Amino acid sequence: MRIVELTNEWSKKYESYIQDHAYSMFYYSLKYRNFILSLIPKAKARYLLAINEKEEMQAICPLMEFEGKFGKVVNSLPYFGSHGGILANSKEVEEFLMNHLNQYLNSQDVASYNIVSNPFLQNNIIPIHNETDERIGQITELPSSIDIFFKALNDKTRNGIRKAQKESIEIEVDNSNEAFEFLYKTHLENMNAIGGKPKSEEYFLNTRKIFEASKDYNLYIAKHEGNKIAGILLFYFKDFVEYFTPVCVDEFRNFQPTSLIIYKAMEEAINKNFKYWNWGGTWHEQKTVYDFKKKWLAKDFIYKYYVNIKN
């Protein structure tokens, strides 16, 4: 067994590996790697691969490096808590790669690092660390029928969907990418209103450059009397729908457009045989956000941030 770094030579095998691995996620994909590098141009991707004697990939670990003021900062993965860490075919291979990873991460030129764990891998080997943080990953298992799903929903969620329908809210997919400006401006307003950290304008611009509309993502828009009032950016990978960026114009929140968008997007996802709807991470203190996702039959998957600060 040996450790190599991902190069173009290994790209096809890497993509094949994450397609076949049961617990790989959108964040491990090379398109997402390119997306992160477009947002953090001074970062360096350093993806580690464990290769056996037959030149077969047995484990992977995506890493990003950034030269900071006090030394090298390493993340797996950076940008709003992207999941990373090791995917492996066995505990033995995982341990082999983790030993190599710990040696690298604890070398003199690395000032700090952060490993965001995979929510599906609760029993993974833990990297050396001196700080931890925790999030609640919430994931809904999509059923075979939207009718079955609707009946199982919380009463308040069903009422929210009906409220939007009663207000004659129309839902459409923005195939032309013209609604991204609305998505960015409304996102900025929403984040500023709650004192949150907004995503950059480049995030919205580069989504269209790196990912393919309809295949990798969809931007759903809710309209009232022809005017855009809400939107959600969703990404697709394997069996997963990734709930990335919801926005809503404040004065129309009572119309419940977000609930109708989610319902329509879930219906289309079910028809296309997607199995999971990943709501993303929630802080423990975000009770309102947590409860909203829970009402869509989301299950909890606790995951950790393993941080080591040496300088």
Side-chain angles (χ1 to χ4, degrees):
M1 191 78 63
R2 63 193 175 100
I3 303 297
V4 302
E5 291 189 26
L6 177 64
T7 59
N8 289 336
E9 174 190 356
W10 292 102
S11 292
K12 287 185 178 179
K13 284 189 175 182
Y14 178 91
E15 288 284 19
S16 178
Y17 183 86
I18 63 172
Q19 285 292 331
D20 293 340
H21 198 288
Y23 302 117
S24 68
M25 302 178 74
F26 169 64
Y27 308 93
Y28 291 89
S29 70
L30 294 184
K31 280 190 177 180
Y32 191 73
R33 176 201 64 180
N34 297 340
F35 183 54
I36 294 298
L37 291 174
S38 75
L39 298 170
I40 315 172
K42 291 184 179 180
K44 176 185 176 183
R46 188 175 185 183
Y47 285 37
L48 303 179
L49 317 174
I51 308 298
N52 67 11
E53 294 77 7
K54 296 179 181 179
E55 296 294 285
E56 297 168 334
M57 210 167 290
Q58 299 296 300
I60 65 166
C61 184
L63 297 171
M64 292 279 182
E65 299 176 350
F66 187 90
E67 289 294 339
K69 181 178 179 181
F70 300 105
K72 191 177 293 180
V73 177
V74 181
N75 245 303
S76 182
L77 281 164
Y79 205 77
F80 290 88
S82 304
H83 296 293
I86 293 175
L87 294 179
N89 290 358
S90 68
K91 277 293 176 187
E92 292 76 15
V93 178
E94 181 187 352
E95 185 175 359
F96 178 79
L97 182 49
M98 181 59 76
N99 289 337
H100 179 91
L101 181 62
N102 277 328
Q103 288 179 13
Y104 161 65
L105 293 177
N106 289 281
S107 58
Q108 289 186 350
D109 61 335
V110 176
S112 68
Y113 59 83
N114 176 44
I115 308 294
V116 185
S117 68
N118 185 315
F120 292 107
L121 297 173
Q122 302 292 331
N123 298 315
N124 255 24
I125 300 171
I126 297 171
I128 296 170
H129 63 283
N130 54 28
E131 297 288 344
T132 60
D133 201 356
E134 186 175 281
R135 300 286 186 274
I136 308 169
Q138 291 179 269
I139 297 173
T140 298
E141 294 182 24
L142 298 174
S144 58
S145 162
I146 191 64
D147 295 329
I148 294 172
F149 188 69
F150 185 77
K151 290 175 183 177
L153 288 174
N154 180 280
D155 287 343
K156 289 185 178 179
T157 303
R158 289 201 301 266
N159 290 338
I161 295 167
R162 293 187 183 114
K163 169 71 173 175
Q165 291 171 333
K166 187 178 179 180
E167 296 291 348
S168 300
I169 304 298
E170 298 178 354
I171 308 299
E172 63 183 41
V173 176
D174 176 45
N175 293 316
S176 64
N177 284 334
E178 292 179 357
F180 266 88
E181 185 177 356
F182 164 80
L183 183 70
Y184 170 61
K185 289 183 177 179
T186 311
H187 169 73
L188 204 58
E189 291 170 2
N190 291 169
M191 289 297 101
N192 288 338
I194 62 172
K197 185 177 178 63
K199 294 179 174 71
S200 66
E201 187 174 8
E202 285 75 21
Y203 164 86
F204 299 91
L205 292 171
N206 294 356
T207 293
R208 291 166 280 178
K209 294 177 182 177
I210 292 170
F211 298 103
E212 185 179 339
S214 297
K215 179 183 176 182
D216 299 320
Y217 73 89
N218 270 329
L219 173 53
Y220 281 83
I221 294 295
K223 289 185 176 181
H224 180 256
E225 296 180 349
N227 298 313
K228 300 180 188 71
I229 63 170
I232 297 178
L233 177 63
L234 303 175
F235 284 96
Y236 304 99
F237 180 75
K238 290 174 56 177
D239 296 334
F240 281 88
V241 180
E242 299 283 342
Y243 179 83
F244 245 67
T245 312
V247 302
C248 185
V249 177
D250 280 341
E251 64 186 283
F252 292 102
R253 286 190 187 277
N254 289 338
F255 286 15
Q256 300 294 321
T258 301
S259 293
L260 187 57
I261 293 178
I262 292 170
Y263 181 70
K264 290 292 187 182
M266 282 185 166
E267 181 177 20
E268 291 190 17
I270 289 169
N271 291 338
K272 292 178 180 178
N273 298 316
F274 285 94
K275 295 180 180 178
Y276 305 102
W277 181 285
N278 182 17
W279 297 93
T282 307
W283 295 359
H284 285 278
E285 58 267 30
Q286 291 178 304
K287 191 175 186 311
T288 301
V289 176
Y290 174 85
D291 289 343
F292 174 80
K293 297 173 182 178
K294 198 73 174 176
K295 288 171 184 174
W296 290 90
L297 310 182
K299 296 180 180 179
D300 293 359
F301 293 80
I302 302 299
Y303 65 93
K304 305 272 190 180
Y305 285 54
Y306 296 107
V307 182
N308 206 55
I309 303 170
K310 298 189 295 177
N311 187 330

